Structures are given as structure tokens and as C-alpha cells.
Amino acid sequence: MKRCLGLLSLLIFPLPYSHAQSVDAKQAFAGKWISTVDVFSSQIYMTIDLKQQDRKLTGKFGNDALEGTVDGNSYHFLAKDENGGTEEVTGRLEGGTLRGDVIETPGSDPKHPFRYTFTATLVKTRSAAPPQRHEFTPTVFYRQFSPFNKSVLTINPGDTIHTTTVDAGGADEKGVRRVLGGNPETGPFYVESAMPGDTLVVHINKLRLNRDYAVSDDQLVERAMDSRLAVKMKDTGKDVRWKLDLAAGTATPEKPSEHLVKYTVPLRPMLGCVATAVGPTQAPPNTGDSGGFGGNMDFNEIVEGATVYLPVSNPGALLYFGDGHAAQGDGELNGNALETSMDVEVTVDVIPGKRPPQPRVENATTAIALGIGGSIEDAFRAATSNMASWLTDDYKLTPSEIAQVLGTAAQYKVAEVADRNVNVVLKLDKERLKTLTQSAK
Amino acid sequence: MKRCLGLLSLLIFPLPYSHAQSVDAKQAFAGKWISTVDVFSSQIYMTIDLKQQDRKLTGKFGNDALEGTVDGNSYHFLAKDENGGTEEVTGRLEGGTLRGDVIETPGSDPKHPFRYTFTATLVKTRSAAPPQRHEFTPTVFYRQFSPFNKSVLTINPGDTIHTTTVDAGGADEKGVRRVLGGNPETGPFYVESAMPGDTLVVHINKLRLNRDYAVSDDQLVERAMDSRLAVKMKDTGKDVRWKLDLAAGTATPEKPSEHLVKYTVPLRPMLGCVATAVGPTQAPPNTGDSGGFGGNMDFNEIVEGATVYLPVSNPGALLYFGDGHAAQGDGELNGNALETSMDVEVTVDVIPGKRPPQPRVENATTAIALGIGGSIEDAFRAATSNMASWLTDDYKLTPSEIAQVLGTAAQYKVAEVADRNVNVVLKLDKERLKTLTQSAK
Amino acid sequence: MKRCLGLLSLLIFPLPYSHAQSVDAKQAFAGKWISTVDVFSSQIYMTIDLKQQDRKLTGKFGNDALEGTVDGNSYHFLAKDENGGTEEVTGRLEGGTLRGDVIETPGSDPKHPFRYTFTATLVKTRSAAPPQRHEFTPTVFYRQFSPFNKSVLTINPGDTIHTTTVDAGGADEKGVRRVLGGNPETGPFYVESAMPGDTLVVHINKLRLNRDYAVSDDQLVERAMDSRLAVKMKDTGKDVRWKLDLAAGTATPEKPSEHLVKYTVPLRPMLGCVATAVGPTQAPPNTGDSGGFGGNMDFNEIVEGATVYLPVSNPGALLYFGDGHAAQGDGELNGNALETSMDVEVTVDVIPGKRPPQPRVENATTAIALGIGGSIEDAFRAATSNMASWLTDDYKLTPSEIAQVLGTAAQYKVAEVADRNVNVVLKLDKERLKTLTQSAK
Amino acid sequence: MKRCLGLLSLLIFPLPYSHAQSVDAKQAFAGKWISTVDVFSSQIYMTIDLKQQDRKLTGKFGNDALEGTVDGNSYHFLAKDENGGTEEVTGRLEGGTLRGDVIETPGSDPKHPFRYTFTATLVKTRSAAPPQRHEFTPTVFYRQFSPFNKSVLTINPGDTIHTTTVDAGGADEKGVRRVLGGNPETGPFYVESAMPGDTLVVHINKLRLNRDYAVSDDQLVERAMDSRLAVKMKDTGKDVRWKLDLAAGTATPEKPSEHLVKYTVPLRPMLGCVATAVGPTQAPPNTGDSGGFGGNMDFNEIVEGATVYLPVSNPGALLYFGDGHAAQGDGELNGNALETSMDVEVTVDVIPGKRPPQPRVENATTAIALGIGGSIEDAFRAATSNMASWLTDDYKLTPSEIAQVLGTAAQYKVAEVADRNVNVVLKLDKERLKTLTQSAK
């Protein structure tokens, strides 16, 4: 079986919220509510969008249109889904908390209704306070992109965090092992007002090396080898330690073999992982995994100056980052890049009410749609589809125009092939995007 | 970064154990120990294989050869890995528990040793008690193949369990919703003496339908569609309820459309999920996922009479099963087969000291190597590699002989393409295997 | 650049013909014409479908609607394509041959019209003569599925051919090398009345071995090996000769190694290649290639009793077959199956006016849609799309119904992975198809 | 059946030649001979490498070691292959032509020897004449990369050709249609002394536009679309004509739709096709195909200043080029780039005795290994394998060193996904290669 039946269908396309509401006695129910639903001890989020006209209620319960009535603090409504199913809801509004008892009758199985309850709060509006800068010293590092890890710091949209990350093996800037390896992350950071369905914006202000060595190895990953190359590489797999010369901006193997005595790579510090927590009904992925939520993307253009756009799946977004690389070739071909600790400063923001199908990255000159999938083929298609959505959503291009722009301006790079998921990116030069004409609104 | 550095390398190829030890004062340390290691609050398993000759200790600490000495209840040894790293261990044996303090010095980074502790117990030998039959009524259903879910029943190898499973959406044999959907599982069952590195054997004695309907839908999954077919299928995606006629052994759509008025499918009950828990350092996968541990394999030959072989990654193996299908075409093309509840009886056993690279299945006439991977290409290669290992391990075939047998007798089936991982199987008729000559030993 | 511009677009969807016309003075132009067009010394086929009402002409020039007039034996018409281009045609009908001079003005480039000429003849109707049986002894064997090889025999639809094929290396039933290796073919056979856009039906009446040995080897093909298996197989690649015991119905290695001393495979003679010639504007593929035209499909169910359906791309269809295998596992994993010569009897027929997107095969119990593509993924999608078209075309199923049938009844097999193209097949049991309700017409 | 049996195995790894021989009576047989073998009216090339010591002959017949004797102008030798097969050769040397009658006895089938003949000439040495510049006006354009097309000009290594190419649709610099579309090519050019096993070097001195428009379209190719994007693009597929402003260096759609009114793309003229003819036993591919021989690679860095390295498979190499694009995004996503005619000047050279497994390209700053295969996965592996061979052959790197260099410096680009084969390239910055230490020889 592939997908969940029933209730979860409510969640597939959460609606955008408007984040400003006036609170008014006659409008006490009106607004966008984020509800926490307890279903057989699993917790899920659902949005409820209510319009109140005197005693009449309309709006959406998840994706389903609802109609009902208000009676003082009590309310009652009926919502209908596309398959002929219904949700009958009764409850009360008390102290800013909307409670409800739901009887869900599946259209495909009307004889077996089931019941659950929820509690909801009005979606927070963005803080008007001036942006702050937070110095944060991590003491715990997580190994899953989980919504259930306790957030380490709460910030407002617009705020800046200055912190550090340990290397992929768990060693910090002093080389002290702090945690079991596998890309342990700094975070999660709770971002006020960020809600499921929003976009989290992570701008990397500074990304600096803070120690003088990195650890890597000398093998090639499975996906890079045909049978001839596999036979050639059969005896590799040793650790290789690299010296990082921060002043010169170069990396060199500490004990180079014959032909690499003068081999030198320019330092180009990057973050292998930037992620939001996955939704509460998903199994939290380990920090070697990637997906729509970002994660271990290992893309060597997530460097100082880049901005990363990620979908929000939980209240507060729950931002994680880690897995710094002093330098990395495309593909992360040997499975470990030049793994090292980092000094990181990011500014975080929220774009309410829309989110990309897969992560996006932007820098001064380029717009980049990531495609993350189980094979290079799937990732390639995902990147193309992600960029096509971008051109539709932000530039209003028609399908014909999308083909003309991609056909003349697409730049594809295979970003990573080392992990369970693969990452292919589609880049567009902003010079091209500037020549697009915005629709008259 | 792809893989964990350092400590975890100990675990990659756990050694086989012999499960019988004589306990003797002068041999108090000798034997196979399973240790639980606490590393920065992550827990991992490691095997320690000790030989004692008077005061001298030799053997293996994980994969690393060790040498040391015993002094009463105290001991001390040094183990060396392939990269020039060492583990220096000191500890005591008290009340059957072996405790140790470890200083691990990585070969790639000798200036940064780190410390951890372990406690170990002798690997249990297989019970000599006669096999038992357990009637088990599930009250909780898990949604991750996790080693951290509390086991619901402890059994011995050779025992039989009779129980039920809910459908993929969480509804039981009475159609009552018991849990959130997504293939909730019955289990985990703890199997005494099963240890990491062993094989768990799950023989399906009985697999019977216990209600008169199943739920499915009418779409095709992404992997099955080229662009022409995607356009054709663009408006599908509705739930479809099927009537199960247990007496006649057939399924029919409850409200068939014009051309399906007489459409009939034979019932062929199968389990979509059979799994052992993943190792404790992995993120527990959701019950829609599959891998070396088995899981949501959705293979329509896991039916009554089949035997499933799965690798063990935790003490007790921790067996899960669920996601019954009344019938399913190859590929599980519409994402949901005929999802229904089941009456299940399995007999469970353990093969110590070896485990397959990926799951295997056997029935009266066929040996089947599963290949689970992120694309059909990868799954195809994994299935071939799994069967080649089988022919090497159990039949001692040379590479040339493997090619001759596979070239003439391989049968490939695409088992499932609906989930994140794909499942391709390679089947060999046992009539062919019978004509293979065993090596004189 | 991917596809041809301009003229060729006329050919993409040739229209169905009705193959019976009455010839009548006032209707001399009416009917379906097959024209041979000479474009810069390349030759292409195009259909012209004319309706005549007194002096008025209407119909289709390729896919483009035409209107014009007749003046005695002379005519003139103008056809228009979807891109705003036109073809202006003038010519004469003399002695049953329609000649035309064309000025084609591309819509995308109206300033650069170009000119070509054609000659056309009325499409032949199917012969009413009783079917014949042809004994055919091949003297030449072709190594490309070319439309330019001289046909070796002309037959009528319904006729039967009895002949032989050499093995993949070019050796005949006496072991005499007759031609360079690489699947040399018997044929091409010209089938009267078969026209581009039709389906060629090849029923294999008899397929018998005619010598006592086959040649194979002991390697695995690239697509079957992950890196671990590639390293294991690195020293294989030797020829292996097999003894065919026609009386016992078994094959055994002539000089078996230790574990294969008693290894026995049942004989199951199959044709690796059945093909129609590709269209005249394609580069003729070598006889190791496969595609929509069939070719080297290496599918081990193309055996005695099977019927193969192939698209026709040239007048006469030009049927080729060869590459007999005494037995073959799925995938043809070692690149060469048990290659041998064959005694073949086929009955050939034509279904006018429709053709499958990729080859199809049928036997007594199963309908099989082949999917041929450059990767297993692509082949899998192609097979699914081919079967979906079959269910639409012949059973009128809606998209929802297609998903319900495939989801419950699909059987996928990986047929071949040894060549440039891969072959995956989707099989449906005819018992299922029988329960489909035909639309009332 | 996948590969040819028998004779062709001689050709798989042709040996390097030294191209200079002294001719001396007592050494009349000594040297590298290129023989043309007539096998059942197919023609293949084979190298014969003879060493003569008085009457004794040694050397290689293809890949097989030979021993024999000379008697005046007559000779006789016996060669042995790895499978226990032999070739017995007798013949005469007359007027510089070596003739031979061969009896080949396959090791796998010794009862069925077969016979063929060859004629051989000494491999030509490179001309010492000063390089020439050839003005060449094409009058014929070929649509297959065939060794059987008559060469249009013979040049020496080091010579320069100045000529033109028509666009992919066959239209020349005046917009006049000269040939049927599908990437018709200029050439083939015969390069003296180039022999099978050599590398052809094609340096693009000048690549200039010679008309003011290009033709493209507005669709996306199959490989770029997931199902969501396929549905979005379902109504595209129209031709789009672009205006080329050679002075400004820009391209713009001639009739832009709303959002593309100001859309502008910089001109970056490239050659979609550069190829050597395939070997004489292969079916000549159409000019939309690509492979080890180069062909329709559609790589947008094959521009002015680039050098292309291609394997030679025929005497004279037989160089083709065409399919100019005024500009093209990575992937050639809409199937047709900005297709146009070109003014081309190339300098051609030969590197004797070694050849790359797949094409390579070099420019002032980058070394580029192409990977051409049937899927993006296969092409990715092919590119990696091609670059690994390059680093082994030219830089003598060990497998460990290859992994370290690729892991830190690889740059992958998806070059083309529009055709039957896909092209992925692996680029290395020459700055990195400069820091590699050459082995002391």
C-alpha cells in the first residue's frame, strides 16, 4: 500500500493563510486556525479557515467546504469531501482555543464513521519587533530531521542566528567528538508565525571554516561506477585527512601519495544540510537523507551569500543545518566531501501562504530549482518540474513560454549522487529572468 | 556526507556467532558477547568474540582483531582496525555482565581519541523447549519499523503466532478504525536468541481474509506513466471499494462502471509488509518504506505457504507484519491494492550467523531473491546480486557457473513500483537448483 | 536537434485506410493512395485519401485536409497543416498512377517554400485467393532491419512460410558458417496489401530445433551487475558450448565445471528476433537492436504457438526473423542465450488501418504488451502505456477502468536487458479480459 | 543475442600502431598492416603487426599472438586466441599488398572451421608536408554517420577545412532547403594516416552564424517531464522562429507571446554534431544518434575554441559535422535548439595508437569527458568512467588518487536528454590538473 487512506487526505494541499485577522466579538470565530488533531495518538496539523456572518459559518475544514452555525461560544458545522465523505463537527471556543469533536464518515465506507478531536489556535501574525541577532552555542546535535526534537531557540522572522556546526562525524571546531556521526545537526530553531504551507527563507550571511583539517576518503560511490570502474576501484576505501590552509584558501591532502604531492583545491565552504522538520505523520528521516524538506542536499552552491527556500511542515518550521564541507566536487563522488566544522550566520524569514514543491536556492546571479529523487532520472524530472512551477507561479509564464525559456537557458548540474536520494539542479541566469515581462495584474 | 565516520565502521560486517558456549571458570570470558554501546546517548550493538587461554585473551572486537590479558574479574585488551586506528579496552566481568571502558583512537585523526562504555551479555543459546503456539490479539499498531517500539510478545525460535492485522488504512476485521493509516503493523515480536547478523525465518502457515470488503483506488503511480499515459490518467484518483466473496474466492468492484460490471479477480491474500526492525542507529523508517530489512515489499507471492528470510539487526529481531492485500497485480500499480484486514498464522525461526544482503522468499517450487532499491534499474541489479550471493553461499557456485545458471534459468518480475523504494525479484525454479552438484566438503 | 522539421511531420500519424475501392470513371481519383515521395533523393511514404464529387476533390494529404478540383486527368488541390503551412499540389492521373508536383510552404518559414514530386498507386486490396504454404530455403541472411534489402519472397496475407534460420553467429543447422555473426536474419518477406499504418500478424505454428548444439558464454551483462557483482565477475567471459538433447528435451553444458555436472535446462525454443523493416527515412538498425518495429526483442515467450503483432512501416511490411535460442532465462543475462539454428513455420496476416505503439504478443492464455526502451524504467513505462492503449482501443476502457484492471491483474516480467534497448513486458491473463464488458456500439 | 561470436572478437581491442617503418628487403614483412577482410560479403578491418627475423615471423594477428615463417614472397603463420581457437594463415606479399587465406577454428566449435581472405597494406605514416587550408563548398549532405558514404575531401593531419553546414532541417545559409531534415552533415572528410585505434582531433577555429534566423519549437522532451509537468505541457508543440541579431549577439522570438516580448538570449554558436564514421560492421546510425563515435552530442560547449577528441574506426577516420545551434540550453529540452546554418573552420589532427572510450572535449580552461548512454544514469557512469580512464592514461593516477581528485574537483552537467542517447559531461578545471605530479618515467 502506498498512501494513507482517509483522514490524511485532508492534509495533502494545505491552504494558504492570510496572517492578519481583526478580532471582533461578532467575528470571534473568523480567521485561519491551525489545529492539532489527535488521531489514535498520532498528531497531525490541519488548517481551518472560518468566515462568520452573524450566526452563519462558512469556510474550509482542511480542503473541504463547510457550512454551519454559531450559538454563543458553541458551534456546529458539516464539511464535505470530494469522495462523498463528510465531517460533522461540534465544539466550543474558549480562551482563544477552538475545540472540536469530529465524526468523519468516509464516502467509500459510510458504515464505518470514526471520531477524533482537535484543538486549534489562531495563526500568529508576524511580529512587528525589530530583527534581532542571536548568539547560539549548541550543546545538543540531532541525527534526525524530526518535528519531535525540542527546539533549541525561538526566533522571529527577520532575525539572525550566529552559531557553529560539528562535522559529519560529530567532531567540533576543536576536533572533539560531540555526538555519534552521520551529519549531526545544529537546531532545530523555532521560527514564530511560520505555519505549514509557508516557505522558510534561510539566507547564509557568513559561512567560515573554524579549524585546520577535514576528513574524507578515497572511494567512489556506487552510482558513479560502471563495471569497469568498479573493478578498478575495488581496493579503495581508506580515510584521507586534508589540511585546510585558511589563510591561503586551499586544501591539500595531509599525506599525499605520489601524484598528489602538489594537488591543491580551493576552499569553498558549504553546508551539506539545511532542512525544515518533516511533518508529524512522517517517519523522521535520518540526517543523511534528503527530500522536499531539504536535508542532506550536499549541493556545493549552498555557500555564503546563498538563500535557501524550504517548505514549512510544522508550526515554527523547525530549522536544522549542519554537515559543513570545506570543499566538494559535484556529486560528492567519494561519499564524504572535505568534512569539517563551521562558523555559521544565517538570517531567517518566512513567506506565508505558498511553498515550493522541492527546495530552491538563489544567489546574486542565479535562480536554482533543486530536484531530489531516488534516481538521477527522477531527480532530473523533479528539478525541471520545480523550475516550471517557479516560472508559472512567480512569472505567470504559459506552458509554451516555459518551454522556450528552458530550451534556451536551462543549466543542469548533477549536485549529489552519494546518498539514498539524488540531487540534480536546474539553474537559470537572472539576466534571462530579467527580460521576462510581468503580466499586467 | 554519506556515511558515518569512525565507530560505526565496526558494525558494517558483524561476525557470525556460534551460539553454544560452555561456561567454565577458566573460560569465564570466552564466548560471543553482544554489547550495547552508549555513544553520546545513541545506542548501538557490537559483537565481541573472545577466546581465553589462561590469562591470555584473543578474538575480535567488532571486526577488529584484539589481544589482551585477564586478571581475576578484570581484563584489558587492544584492538586494531584497518585504517591504523585502535581501541583500548579495560573492564570487569561481574554477574554475567561484561563491562568495558573504551578509548578509540581513529587512524585518520590520532590526536582526537574519544571514549565510550559498553555492557555486554553472552549471546543466548537457542531454547531446547518444544515449540509453542501463541494466540495474540493486537491492541497497538505501529507505524514505523522501529527498534524502539516495545515488543508485544516474546517467543522462541520454532514457535507459532496466530494473530490478526488491520488494513493499510488502520481498520480492523470489523471495519473499525483502530489507528492512523499508512500500513500500521502488528508486532513487534521479540524472538529469543536472535542476534544481529542472524537471519529471521518467517513461514506463513495461514493467511486468510476475515472481512468482506477491501478498499483501493483508480489511479496509476508516477513510475508507471510516460507522458502520454499521464495525460490520459489526469482526472483519475477516486477511491474504489471492492466486495470480497470469500466463498467464491473472488473480488469485484462494489459499484462497477460500465465495462467492469462482470469484472472479477481471484482472491490471493498476501502480506504487503513483513519486516525486522532496523538497527538502532538508523532512523526508523515509516511502514510505507522498504529496504534490506524487508518492510513494505508489496510482493504478491508473500502468500500462505511462503517463507520469508530477513536479516536481524537487533537482539530479538523484532518482527513486524501487516498491510494485507486480498489481491494485487504486479507493481501495485494504483498505489493501493485491495487493502483489507487479515487472519495470520506464522511460524518463526532463526538461522544463526549469516544473513542475506536483501530479503529472500521461498515456496514449494521457487527460490526468490528480492532486490529493493530507489529505481527499477537499481532494484534489478540488487536482485541479481542477492541471488548471486545465494548461489555462492549455499551452492558454492563459481562466478562462471553463476552466469551459466542465471543466463538459462532466471525469472524476473517487477514486484512493486508504488513506493519510495522499488522491488524487483529474481526467481529460480527449484527443479534447476536440484541439478546443482554440491562441493565435496 | 531531435526531430526532423517540416515534411516528415506529415508522416507521424498516418491515417487508416479502407482497403476496398470501387473504380468508376466519375470516381477515378477517389480512394486511398500510397505515394512514394522523392525528397532530395530520400524516399518516404505518404498516404493520400481522396474523395471525389464530380469535379470537386476533398480528403487528406497525409494528415492535412485538402480541397481542390479535377479537370479530366489533371487535378489541383491545396492542403493546410496545423502550423499554418500549406501544400499546393498539381498533377495528373495516368494508367493508374497518380503523379503530383508539390510546393510546400512551411508556416514557420513562409519565405522558403520547397518543391518535391510524388507518384502514388491505389492501395491494394487483400487477395481473395486461398492461403498458400511456401517452402523457402534461405540463401542470403541480412544484418540490418532495412527496407532496402531485396525481399526474398512475396506472399499473401493468410499464407504460411516454412523455412530455417541460422544461429546468432551465422552458422546453420549443419554448423556451417553462412554469414558474419550478429543475428543474421531470414527474410525479408513481402506481404501483399500490407501498408504503412497496418499491423502485421505473425503466428508461429512450429519452432523446432534442427541441430544438437548451441553456443553461449559465461558472463553477466553490464545492466545486471552492481559494483560488488562486477568485481566478482571480473574474470568471466569464456564461450560455453551446450549439448541439445532433442529427444529428452534438455540442454546441458558440453564440458561442465564441478557444480554443473548434472545441471540441466529444459529446451524451450524461441525466436530472439521478429521484425518489420523500419521506415525508409530511418537509419536501418542492426539486427542486435530493437524498437517499435520489434527486432531483437529476446523475449522467451516468443515460442511455438505465440502470435506477434508488429507495426507496418513499408508497403509489403518486409518481415524478418532469426536469432533462435534453444532456451533463455529472463533478461538474457549473459548476453548470449543458447544460440542455435531453427526450423520455423509461420502464418502471416495483416490487420489494416491500425497499429500498436510497440509490439504485442498473444498466446492461448495471455495478452502481452511489450515495452522497449533505453532503460528498464523507460521500458516499464512503455509496456504500461502499450497495454493501456490496448485496453482503450480494443476494450474501450476508461482511464479509471484501466487503473482498476492493471492494479489487480498486471504481470510484469523483465524480458531482456542485454542489448542497447531493454524489453519489459506486461502480461494480462485472458481469464481477466473475458470478464470485461464490451461497450454497446 | 547480444554480441557477435567469433571473428569480431579480434577487433574488440585493436592494438596501437607505431606509424613509422623502414622498408628493407630482409624486413619486407615487418610493420603494422591494416587489412580489409571480406567475410561473407561483410567488410571488416583488422590490424596485423609483424616482426621478421630472417625467415621467422612473430607478432599479432588482431589480438592473437602469431608464429610463422617466410619463404620468398610467401608466408605462413598460426595465431591462437584465448578460447583455444586458432587462425592458420597462408599468403603472399606482392606490390606492397599482403594477401592471406585464413582458416579460423573456433575453440568452442572446433569441428566447424571457416575460411576467409584478406588484403592488407602497410599503415601510412603521417605526411611531412606543411599544413594546408582547404576551402570546401558542400554539395551533398549525409544523414547517417556511415563509413560507406563517399568522402568529399581528403586532407592531411594538421590541415584546416573552411566550409559551411546546413541547419537540422536541411536549409542552408540562404534558407534554401537542400536535403531532407534530421541533422544532415557536411563531410565525410578523409584524414590521411588515421587508422582504427587512433584518436581524431578536431579543433574548432571558427564557428560563425551566416543567416539571421533560427527555427525551434515550444515543447519539452519526454525525459524532462514528470506526470504533473506532462499534463501541463499537453497542448504545446508548435514551431517557433527566432530572429538572430548577429551584430548585437542576441536571439529573440520573432513573434513573442505576452511574457517573452523582451526575452533575449545571447548567441553562442555550437555544433550539435561532430563524428567519425562508425566501424564497417555496425549499422550506420542516423545523424540524430550519438555514441562512442560522437555524433549528435548536442553539447553546448562544442563552440569556437573547443577541441573534440573522437575514436577512429575506419582508415581515414571519416569526419562529419553539422547541426549548428545559434544557442542551446543544457539538455536541449525542447528537442530543437535554435537550429541554423553555420560557417565553420576546423583544424584536424590525429593521435596515433590510442583512443578514448567515449568522446572528450577540451578548451582553454577545462578538460571534459563525455558520457553517452541510454539513460541519464548510464551516461553519468560513462562520463565518470571516461574521465577515470583519462586520469589513468595521461596522468598515471592510482584508483585512490582518482577518487580524491574527482571527489574534490568534478563538475557534472547534463548536456543533452533529447535524443535516443543521453549525454552527461564531467568537467575538470585545468587549474586542478596542473597541480598533479607526473610520474617519473
Side-chain angles (χ1 to χ4, degrees), chain C residues 104-176:
Chain C
E104 178 172 328
T105 306
S108 63
D109 188 12
K111 291 178 191 159
H112 295 101
F114 64 102
R115 290 159 185 274
Y116 56 90
T117 62
F118 66 82
T119 59
T121 54
L122 271 177
V123 171
K124 274 209 179 178
T125 53
R126 185 187 172 112
S127 164
Q132 276 189 281
R133 187 170 190 278
H134 304 265
E135 285 291 335
F136 176 72
T137 304
T139 55
V140 61
F141 303 91
Y142 288 109
R143 299 176 64 256
Q144 296 180 3
F145 297 116
S146 171
F148 305 119
N149 292 328
K150 192 172 176 313
S151 62
V152 294
L153 182 71
T154 295
I155 66 170
N156 281 321
D159 285 4
T160 293
I161 305 166
H162 179 227
T163 187
T164 57
T165 57
V166 294
D167 73 17
D172 66 14
E173 61 274 19
K174 295 174 183 157
V176 176

Side-chain angles (χ1 to χ4, degrees), chain A residues 175-408:
Chain A
V176 176
R177 192 76 174 270
R178 300 284 294 279
V179 55
L180 192 63
N183 301 340
E185 304 284 309
T186 297
F189 300 99
Y190 187 100
V191 185
E192 286 285 12
S193 88
M195 284 292 144
D198 294 350
T199 295
L200 190 73
V201 183
V202 184
H203 181 71
I204 302 175
N205 303 325
K206 285 195 183 170
L207 188 60
R208 302 290 164 89
L209 297 169
N210 58 7
R211 74 182 197 206
D212 64 358
Y213 76 95
V215 183
S216 186
D217 57 25
D218 76 346
Q219 65 198 355
L220 293 180
V221 297
E222 179 76 18
R223 277 198 187 88
M225 297 188 290
D226 59 14
S227 63
R228 180 195 305 230
L229 190 49
V231 171
K232 180 186 280 192
M233 300 305 292
K234 71 188 163 60
D235 298 321
T236 58
K238 294 245 178 324
D239 290 344
V240 177
R241 206 175 139 104
W242 292 70
K243 187 182 164 192
L244 308 181
D245 184 336
L246 276 58
T250 57
T252 48
E254 274 195 4
K255 299 176 184 172
S257 55
E258 180 185 4
H259 306 95
L260 302 188
V261 169
K262 298 180 182 169
Y263 185 65
T264 304
V265 180
L267 296 173
R268 199 184 185 209
M270 57 166 276
L271 282 176
C273 298
V274 184
T276 51
V278 298
T281 58
Q282 280 191 51
N286 68 52
T287 46
D289 208 351
S290 60
F293 62 94
N296 186 26
M297 300 177 283
D298 288 322
F299 173 35
N300 58 18
E301 300 188 30
I302 298 185
V303 296
E304 191 170 300
T307 303
V308 181
Y309 299 87
L310 298 171
V312 176
S313 301
N314 293 277
L318 300 174
L319 168 66
Y320 292 90
F321 47 81
D323 187 29
H325 299 164
Q328 182 206 294
D330 288 355
E332 203 188 23
L333 282 191
N334 39 356
N336 291 298
L338 303 196
E339 308 289 341
T340 192
S341 60
M342 288 281 172
D343 186 312
V344 185
E345 188 191 284
V346 296
T347 297
V348 178
D349 215 321
V350 173
I351 302 172
K354 65 177 193 178
R355 62 180 207 171
Q358 293 234 332
R360 295 172 183 163
V361 172
E362 218 174 339
N363 59 35
T365 60
T366 325
I368 309 173
L370 277 65
I372 295 174
S375 70
I376 309 183
E377 304 281 336
D378 287 348
F380 181 84
R381 277 190 281 269
T384 311
S385 194
N386 188 4
M387 183 58 87
S389 293
W390 202 345
L391 294 173
T392 303
D393 294 346
D394 288 11
Y395 296 88
K396 311 303 173 199
L397 296 199
T398 65
S400 169
E401 291 169 340
I402 288 170
Q404 292 176 64
V405 169
L406 293 185
T408 50

Side-chain angles (χ1 to χ4, degrees), chain C residues 168-208:
Chain C
D172 66 14
E173 61 274 19
K174 295 174 183 157
V176 176
R177 192 77 174 270
R178 299 285 294 278
V179 54
L180 192 62
N183 301 341
E185 304 286 308
T186 297
F189 299 99
Y190 187 100
V191 185
E192 285 288 9
S193 88
M195 284 291 144
D198 294 350
T199 294
L200 190 73
V201 183
V202 184
H203 180 69
I204 302 176
N205 303 325
K206 286 196 184 171
L207 189 61
R208 304 288 164 89

Side-chain angles (χ1 to χ4, degrees), chain D residues 153-356:
Chain D
L153 181 71
T154 296
I155 65 170
N156 282 320
D159 284 5
T160 293
I161 304 164
H162 179 227
T163 187
T164 57
T165 57
V166 294
D167 72 19
D172 67 13
E173 61 274 18
K174 293 173 183 159
V176 176
R177 192 78 174 270
R178 300 284 294 277
V179 55
L180 192 62
N183 301 340
E185 304 285 308
T186 297
F189 300 99
Y190 188 101
V191 185
E192 286 285 10
S193 88
M195 285 291 145
D198 293 351
T199 295
L200 189 73
V201 183
V202 184
H203 181 71
I204 302 175
N205 303 325
K206 286 195 183 170
L207 187 61
R208 304 288 164 89
L209 296 170
N210 58 8
R211 74 182 197 205
D212 64 358
Y213 76 95
V215 183
S216 187
D217 57 25
D218 76 347
Q219 64 197 355
L220 293 180
V221 296
E222 178 77 18
R223 278 198 187 87
M225 296 188 291
D226 59 14
S227 63
R228 179 194 305 230
L229 190 48
V231 171
K232 179 185 282 193
M233 301 305 292
K234 69 187 165 59
D235 297 322
T236 58
K238 294 244 178 326
D239 290 343
V240 178
R241 206 174 139 105
W242 293 70
K243 187 183 165 193
L244 308 181
D245 184 334
L246 276 57
T250 57
T252 48
E254 274 194 5
K255 300 176 182 170
S257 54
E258 179 186 3
H259 305 96
L260 301 188
V261 168
K262 297 180 182 170
Y263 185 64
T264 305
V265 179
L267 295 174
R268 197 182 187 210
M270 56 165 278
L271 282 177
C273 297
V274 185
T276 51
V278 298
T281 59
Q282 281 192 50
N286 68 52
T287 46
D289 208 351
S290 60
F293 62 92
N296 186 26
M297 300 178 283
D298 287 323
F299 173 35
N300 58 18
E301 301 187 30
I302 299 185
V303 295
E304 191 170 302
T307 304
V308 181
Y309 299 86
L310 297 171
V312 176
S313 300
N314 293 278
L318 300 173
L319 167 66
Y320 292 90
F321 48 80
D323 187 29
H325 299 164
Q328 182 206 294
D330 288 355
E332 202 188 22
L333 282 190
N334 41 355
N336 292 297
L338 304 196
E339 309 288 341
T340 192
S341 61
M342 287 282 172
D343 186 311
V344 185
E345 187 192 284
V346 296
T347 296
V348 178
D349 215 321
V350 174
I351 302 172
K354 65 176 193 180
R355 61 180 207 170

Side-chain angles (χ1 to χ4, degrees), chain B residues 13 217-220 222-229 232-233 236 240 242 253 256-266 300 327-334 337-338 357 374-378 380-382 384-386 388-389 392 395-414 417 422 424 426 431-433 435-440, chain C residues 13 217-220 222-229 232-233 236 240 242 253 256-266 300 327-334 337-338 357 374-378 380-382 384-386 388-389 392 395-414 417 422 424 426 431-433 435-440:
Chain B
F13 302 112
D217 57 24
D218 76 345
Q219 65 198 356
L220 293 180
E222 178 77 19
R223 278 197 186 89
M225 296 188 290
D226 59 14
S227 63
R228 180 196 304 229
L229 189 49
K232 178 185 282 193
M233 301 304 294
T236 58
V240 178
W242 292 69
S257 55
E258 180 185 4
H259 305 94
L260 301 188
V261 168
K262 299 181 183 169
Y263 185 65
T264 305
V265 179
N300 57 18
Q328 182 205 295
D330 289 354
E332 202 187 23
L333 281 190
N334 42 354
L338 303 197
S375 69
I376 309 183
E377 304 280 335
D378 287 348
F380 181 85
R381 277 189 282 269
T384 312
S385 197
N386 187 4
S389 293
T392 304
Y395 296 87
K396 312 304 172 194
L397 296 198
T398 64
S400 168
E401 291 169 338
I402 289 169
Q404 292 175 64
V405 170
L406 294 185
T408 50
Q411 300 170 44
Y412 284 101
K413 180 174 186 168
V414 180
V417 299
V422 166
V424 172
L426 196 174
E431 289 299 317
R432 296 288 81 62
L433 296 174
T435 64
L436 296 176
T437 305
Q438 299 286 346
S439 293
Chain C
F13 302 113
D217 56 24
D218 76 346
Q219 66 198 354
L220 293 179
E222 178 77 19
R223 279 196 186 89
M225 296 188 290
D226 60 14
S227 64
R228 179 195 305 230
L229 190 49
K232 178 185 281 194
M233 300 305 293
T236 58
V240 177
W242 292 69
S257 54
E258 180 185 3
H259 305 94
L260 301 187
V261 168
K262 299 180 183 170
Y263 185 65
T264 304
V265 179
N300 56 20
Q328 182 205 294
D330 288 355
E332 201 187 24
L333 282 190
N334 42 354
L338 303 197
S375 69
I376 308 183
E377 304 280 335
D378 287 348
F380 181 85
R381 277 189 281 270
T384 312
S385 195
N386 187 5
S389 293
T392 304
Y395 297 87
K396 312 302 173 198
L397 296 199
T398 65
S400 168
E401 292 169 339
I402 288 169
Q404 292 176 64
V405 170
L406 294 186
T408 50
Q411 301 170 42
Y412 283 101
K413 181 175 187 167
V414 180
V417 299
V422 166
V424 172
L426 196 174
E431 290 298 317
R432 297 287 82 63
L433 296 174
T435 65
L436 297 175
T437 305
Q438 300 286 346
S439 293

Side-chain angles (χ1 to χ4, degrees), chain C residues 264-317:
Chain C
T264 304
V265 179
L267 295 174
R268 198 183 187 210
M270 56 166 277
L271 283 176
C273 298
V274 184
T276 50
V278 299
T281 59
Q282 281 193 49
N286 68 53
T287 45
D289 208 351
S290 61
F293 61 93
N296 185 27
M297 301 177 283
D298 288 324
F299 173 34
N300 56 20
E301 300 187 30
I302 298 185
V303 296
E304 191 170 301
T307 304
V308 181
Y309 299 86
L310 298 170
V312 176
S313 299
N314 294 276

